[in-house]
Amino acid sequence: MILAQMAQTTLITRAQIDERVGEMGRQISTDFAGDDMIALCVLKGAVFFCTDLVRQISLDVALDFIQVSSYGNQKYSSGVVTILKEPQLDMREKAVLIVEDIIDSGLSMREVHRYIESRGAKKVKTATFLDKPKARKVDFRADYVGFSIDPQFVIGYGLDFAEKYRNVPEVQVLSD
Ligand code: IMP
Ligand code: MG
């Protein structure tokens, strides 16, 4: 019996990731100097990017987590965003950097951004590891983008397909 194979091809190497995350960290360190900063990691995909990024930020930075509803086992968004896990820290008067793995339709980030503003943050910026600008359904622009990619399904460096492949160290395109 022949099983359907998922082909995986490298899109972004480990070396490219390290170099770019270093650049982003340096830029963010400049832009957030003097701020009372919180890095807000969007679970689960951004964990890998976030832990690398905060170690490239040369400022005091608190860490918190939020989780919003994901695609489940689908490759495409349902368009409904709900908060599954709330942040623990007080965001009032803080400078919050939302750290996301990938922006696709823009729906998740639009909602997270609005939600953090509603918690009283004085500055809310977004850093995304990957961006698929051609896949937008709502207008949302991240302040810091690691790599812009075409609208294709990618895995690795935290990104999953049905909870698989998050631990692949580089970014790969998944196709069947
Ligand atoms: P959006 O709300 O459509 O922008 O979806 C963003 C979320 O969908 C991301 O945080 C990911 O969890 C997931 N996602 C979007 N594209 C991909 C992909 O190519 N691979 C893995 N997850 C993805
Ligand atoms: Mg995500």
Side-chain angles (χ1 to χ4, degrees):
M1 188 172 73
I2 298 168
L3 295 172
Q5 293 285 312
M6 291 292 223
Q8 293 168 244
T9 49
T10 301
L11 186 66
I12 306 169
T13 65
R14 198 51 247 185
Q16 289 172 308
I17 293 170
D18 289 343
E19 189 186 348
R20 187 72 188 110
V21 173
E23 289 171 356
M24 294 175 86
R26 286 190 288 278
Q27 182 66 56
I28 291 163
S29 301
T30 302
D31 296 352
F32 280 74
D35 285 331
D36 201 348
M37 183 180 185
I38 298 175
L40 182 69
C41 176
V42 184
L43 295 170
K44 303 179 214 171
V47 165
F48 300 69
F49 172 49
C50 188
T51 58
D52 282 346
L53 183 65
V54 292
R55 282 177 286 182
Q56 299 297 327
I57 295 175
S58 55
L59 306 169
D60 289 334
V61 53
L63 186 60
D64 206 349
F65 298 89
I66 188 171
Q67 188 169 15
V68 296
S69 59
S70 69
Y71 289 16
N73 290 349
Q74 308 295 311
K75 276 194 187 176
Y76 303 98
S77 176
S78 62
V80 181
V81 177
T82 46
I83 293 170
L84 303 177
K85 188 222 169 284
E86 306 237 357
Q88 300 299 303
L89 297 177
D90 185 353
M91 306 272 159
R92 281 174 295 177
E93 296 306 311
K94 299 287 163 55
V96 180
L97 179 70
I98 302 168
V99 183
E100 175 62 307
D101 53 1
I102 186 165
I103 304 180
D104 190 63
S105 70
L107 282 158
S108 310
M109 267 303 101
R110 187 180 64 173
E111 290 312 308
V112 172
H113 197 280
R114 277 182 185 163
Y115 176 70
I116 298 307
E117 277 179 335
S118 79
R119 303 246 317 211
K122 73 161 188 201
K123 165 170 165 180
V124 185
K125 301 282 181 192
T126 305
T128 189
F129 172 57
L130 298 179
D131 191 12
K132 296 190 211 174
K134 291 180 196 150
R136 280 298 190 289
K137 290 185 187 141
V138 295
D139 185 32
F140 186 87
R141 260 160 280 188
D143 301 283
Y144 308 96
V145 176
F147 300 90
S148 283
I149 63 168
D150 285 332
Q152 53 202 340
F153 201 84
V154 290
I155 55 92
Y157 196 55
L159 293 149
D160 73 309
F161 175 57
E163 293 300 328
K164 221 175 125 183
Y165 308 116
R166 290 194 197 277
N167 58 325
V168 173
E170 59 177 22
V171 178
Q172 300 176 345
V173 177
L174 193 67
S175 56
D176 38 31

